[in-house]
Amino acid sequence: MTQRIAVIPGDGIGPEVARIGVRVLESLGLPLQFDWFDFGADRYLRDRTTLPAGFMDTLRREYAAIYFGAVGDPRVPGNEHAKGILLAMRFELDLYINLRPCILIDDRLSPLKGKGREHLKFVVFRENTEGLYTGTGGVLRQGTADEVAQEVEINTRKGVERILEAAFAYAQQRGLRRVCMADKANVLVFGHGLWRRTFAEVARRHPGIEAKAMYVDALAMDLIRQPEAYEVIVTNNLFGDILTDLGAALTGGLGIAASGNIHPGRVSLFEPVHGSAPDIASQGKANPLAMVLSGALMLEHLGHRREAQRLSGAVEEQVRSGARTPDLVPLLGGPASTTEQVGNELLARVSAAP
Ligand code: NAD
Ligand code: IPM
Ligand code: MN
């Protein structure tokens, strides 16, 4: 049966990398149908549409997955359309797991002295539906000397428990031994106290797995010092956002960092960790590999494990010995190629792969 994929390329380099990602996915010969949607800054500025009414229901009813580029545009400085597009899908489709693998695919990509592939292979489970991201809060007396601005961090027992459980289940299924939770329970005693108590309970249900809770500042330091100590990291929405840009920098940069926004068994969204990169948009410099690897995560979610491995294998080969965009030149050396050149080579590799 054909699986339908909603493609939302978005802004900036989003469309540049989405074009390559879809071409590569199409080349696999799977029964996938790609439908393109123009939601993003242009559309928002034209007619104020973020996502049209009824679109969430259409996604739930008719689509197996969403393949998303990036949103963000200097003409929308308040980023309202990102809230109405990306965050709206994360929240309303209840995509509570933001899965962000930070796995080194070539020793030369590591910025850490003496740390290679055997040291850098952790996965982050970022809570994706609550925390500081819900828009709860407001401003009082705006523009006066007495202005008050607040954002409220939402932590629910159910929301915290399900992301913790997902992290432990992932470790268990893959034979991993360690889960580390990052919080700031020494200061945020109410919300992160809830995380600590729930973590202890969920950990008791998984006795074979070493469970450690850490303060996020200490973890940020330790990820640089001894990344090999971490296999699965689970944390809240904001800390997960920050730690995964750090994780990307440890494993080759945003140009190759992939993610999945997942609700198991439901329509889920796959996107690179990076944004719309207005500084390099329209210059043929964007690295399409993060988008391609996000496609591999999508294929796994859709049950096409073999093809997912074929894609990630081709990306590894590409990084090892193929053309590269400028972001990877400081790490790998050699001349810089364009987005299109990297895409074309990758396409040839995928077709040649067994
Ligand atoms: P960014 O990720 O867009 O860019 C950060 C840096 O990484 C830039 O120097 C950029 O050139 C580089 N970079 C990013 N992706 C790259 C790629 N594929 N190849 C080569 N270099 C790449 O983050 P930013 O500059 O902080 O944000 C730009 C806009 O994107 C903002 O509007 C922001 O809100 C938005 N954003 C969106 C998403 C998303 O849609 N999921 C994620 C992050 C940021
Ligand atoms: C990400 C981005 C988003 C986030 C922004 C664009 C809302 O930084 O996906 O990492 O903060 O979640
Ligand atoms: Mn981010």
Side-chain angles (χ1 to χ4, degrees):
M1 211 180 78
T2 299
Q3 291 168 310
R4 289 177 75 185
I5 313 293
V7 184
I8 305 178
D11 307 328
I13 64 167
E16 302 170 31
V17 297
R19 192 167 355 102
I20 307 280
V22 172
R23 266 171 68 204
V24 172
L25 287 166
E26 279 177 338
S27 77
L28 295 169
L30 288 166
L32 303 175
Q33 177 189 319
F34 295 89
D35 298 337
W36 294 72
F37 296 92
D38 68 350
F39 311 130
D42 282 341
R43 174 80 185 266
Y44 177 70
L45 290 169
R46 199 164 63 236
D47 63 13
R48 294 287 140 185
T49 301
T50 49
L51 296 178
F55 187 68
M56 293 298 175
D57 278 334
T58 308
L59 288 173
R60 287 190 198 98
R61 243 191 350 258
E62 297 174 24
Y63 286 91
I66 302 145
Y67 194 42
F68 190 86
V71 278
D73 189 296
R75 295 169 298 167
V76 191
N79 227 10
E80 301 88 79
H81 71 307
K83 291 191 190 82
I85 299 173
L86 179 59
L87 295 182
M89 286 189 286
R90 288 178 183 171
F91 293 158
E92 288 178 44
L93 300 173
D94 202 26
L95 308 175
Y96 65 94
I97 300 168
N98 195 326
L99 176 69
R100 297 186 159 185
C102 304
I103 297 170
L104 194 71
I105 59 178
D106 185 299
D107 283 350
R108 292 170 298 164
L109 297 177
S110 165
L112 300 179
K113 214 187 319 172
K115 306 290 182 190
R117 289 190 73 164
E118 73 273 29
H119 304 99
L120 281 154
K121 39 184 179 187
F122 62 90
V123 172
V124 178
F125 276 70
R126 167 186 177 189
E127 201 293 318
N128 211 30
T129 55
E130 45 189 58
L132 272 164
Y133 273 69
T134 64
T136 312
V139 177
L140 277 178
R141 301 189 281 272
Q142 189 169 353
T144 73
D146 297 315
E147 180 161 345
V148 180
Q150 63 171 346
E151 233 96 34
V152 180
E153 190 182 276
I154 306 292
N155 299 279
T156 68
R157 167 71 202 206
K158 277 185 196 153
V160 171
E161 184 172 355
R162 65 183 180 172
I163 189 68
L164 293 174
E165 181 57 43
F168 277 95
Y170 179 94
Q172 196 128 36
Q173 279 152 21
R174 307 205 174 211
L176 301 172
R177 290 163 302 146
R178 291 192 286 263
V179 173
C180 173
M181 177 180 74
D183 62 43
K184 192 70 186 166
N186 49 346
V187 179
L188 308 178
V189 293
F190 305 118
H192 296 198
L194 171 62
W195 279 78
R196 287 262 160 153
R197 284 181 274 117
T198 313
F199 186 63
E201 272 180 44
V202 176
R204 275 199 293 279
R205 301 206 286 260
H206 300 271
I209 295 172
E210 181 193 311
K212 182 162 80 162
M214 278 182 86
Y215 300 133
V216 67
D217 47 351
L219 175 63
M221 178 194 65
D222 213 37
L223 279 174
I224 307 293
R225 232 172 40 92
Q226 47 159 0
E228 65 276 14
Y230 301 93
E231 293 180 335
V232 176
I233 292 171
V234 58
T235 190
N236 66 40
N237 211 337
L238 182 65
F239 295 167
D241 180 44
I242 299 166
L243 289 176
T244 54
D245 267 30
L246 170 62
L250 293 177
T251 52
L254 284 172
I256 59 173
S259 80
N261 300 255
I262 298 169
H263 188 125
R266 294 199 197 163
V267 58
S268 295
L269 184 154
F270 298 84
E271 57 166 345
V273 174
H274 66 70
S276 57
D279 56 334
I280 57 162
S282 310
Q283 299 171 38
K285 288 182 181 167
N287 191 335
L289 298 181
M291 189 74 195
V292 173
L293 288 172
S294 305
L297 289 175
M298 178 169 78
L299 291 181
E300 263 186 51
H301 179 77
L302 297 175
H304 306 297
R305 175 162 292 178
R306 202 153 30 90
E307 287 79 3
Q309 279 166 358
R310 208 167 128 202
L311 266 199
S312 16
V315 170
E316 266 179 48
E317 233 181 82
Q318 183 69 32
V319 167
R320 213 177 305 126
S321 51
R324 63 208 51 144
T325 45
D327 56 308
L328 293 182
V329 168
L331 298 164
L332 298 174
S337 300
T338 64
T339 309
E340 199 66 21
Q341 285 166 331
V342 171
N344 287 338
E345 261 192 33
L346 186 70
L347 213 56
R349 270 176 222 286
V350 172
S351 331

